[in-house]
Amino acid sequence: MPTDALLDRFLTGLAPLTPVAVWAHGSLAGGDYVEGRSDLDVIAVLDHPVTARTVWRVALLHARLRAEPLADRLHCTYLTPDTAAGAGRRHLTWAHEQLFKRPVTPVTRTELHAFGRVLHGVPPADALPPVPDGELAAFVVRDQRDYWRREVDRAANWTQDVWVDLGLLTFARATVTLREGRLITKREALDVLPGLGAPGEVVEDVRRRRYGDAAPPAEEWSARRARLTRDYLGPAIDALVAGS
């Protein structure tokens, strides 16, 4: 299986950096992973500060994996025990085939504690502080209000599959988190969306592309799908935020 082969090569290459732990989160840990379509979301906890030499070694590790199947989908954020606390702190990350810094969000932290998959070392409970009460809900509201609501008004992106998929799925997952205090998978989100009033033909389009073998969308359908998605998401996000 290409996923297992890639993870084995990644862990072997990471060993000289003496990680305290390596965990999978997202679809790979939550039981909703689709090989070739899902990202491989990983957190590595190193036993030493992230120095310039560490950055160089991480870049070299990922460069050596570039030719491996699925390597473009491998995303890893690097923490240390001293930097693991605080969801606002930005950490060295390899994603989208480049190095940058980003936070480990309360959603990711909650996933890790709830169902994180240990690939190496200690479990998340031993190295990652729990998410404080209220922090997950507050983050979800901010994400919908400050990021997704703004993006809905930017029409150009919404003819692309990824925007339609993530926009709808993230909204459904946020709604369940705020209502029930739990996280759900993308597959569960697709089941929830019709009950939230999402346009059924768009939901089925997402489902076919994620779990079936759908052909690329025609230009006319892409334009209609974009309009349906934006017309739904704008008022839906406004109502979610107002009621939170």
Side-chain angles (χ1 to χ4, degrees):
M1 184 174 177
T3 300
D4 292 336
L6 176 61
L7 289 175
D8 285 346
R9 283 212 61 190
F10 172 67
L11 291 172
T12 298
L14 189 62
L17 288 169
T18 59
V20 174
V22 184
W23 311 311
H25 61 99
S27 300
L28 188 61
D32 191 32
Y33 178 73
V34 181
E35 188 167 79
R37 300 186 185 182
S38 300
D39 290 332
L40 296 164
D41 295 314
V42 179
I43 300 288
V45 183
L46 306 180
D47 72 347
H48 55 273
V50 175
T51 63
R53 177 169 173 76
T54 308
V55 174
W56 178 81
R57 293 175 74 182
V58 166
L60 183 61
L61 163 62
H62 288 281
R64 287 172 172 168
L65 294 174
R66 282 186 189 275
E68 295 293 317
L70 307 178
D72 60 322
R73 295 187 173 273
L74 176 62
H75 301 167
C76 185
T77 296
Y78 293 86
L79 312 180
T80 70
D82 291 339
T83 65
R89 187 164 188 163
R90 296 164 66 241
H91 307 274
L92 179 68
T93 299
W94 176 270
H96 311 296
E97 300 186 89
Q98 60 183 315
L99 278 174
F100 56 97
K101 287 188 175 183
R102 70 180 179 189
V104 179
T105 71
V107 171
T108 296
R109 292 166 180 270
T110 302
E111 284 182 353
L112 286 166
H113 280 281
F115 52 81
R117 175 180 164 188
V118 178
L119 302 176
H120 168 80
V122 302
D126 288 0
L128 188 72
V131 178
D133 290 345
E135 188 172 291
L136 176 62
F139 172 81
V140 164
V141 171
R142 287 196 309 273
D143 186 52
Q144 289 292 302
R145 181 192 65 213
D146 298 343
Y147 180 76
W148 284 106
R149 185 61 183 88
R150 183 189 66 215
E151 294 300 329
V152 168
D153 290 335
R154 296 177 176 173
N157 291 331
W158 294 87
T159 56
Q160 300 175 45
D161 294 347
V162 65
W163 282 91
V164 173
D165 296 0
L166 287 180
L168 289 170
L169 295 173
T170 303
F171 171 74
R173 299 172 84 181
T175 299
V176 172
T177 295
L178 291 173
R179 290 180 177 177
E180 304 177 22
R182 64 186 182 95
L183 301 177
I184 61 172
T185 66
K186 292 176 180 176
R187 188 184 293 272
E188 290 174 304
L190 281 170
D191 294 336
V192 166
L193 277 165
L196 298 178
E201 59 190 308
V202 179
V203 174
E204 288 310 306
D205 176 75
V206 177
R207 191 187 301 276
R208 282 194 301 271
R209 284 186 290 97
R210 182 166 175 81
Y211 299 108
D213 190 23
E219 185 175 346
E220 182 179 352
W221 167 238
S222 293
R224 172 174 163 76
R225 184 183 66 180
R227 185 174 65 255
L228 288 169
T229 303
R230 294 177 64 234
D231 287 350
Y232 167 69
L233 275 180
I237 291 173
D238 290 342
L240 181 70
V241 171
S244 64

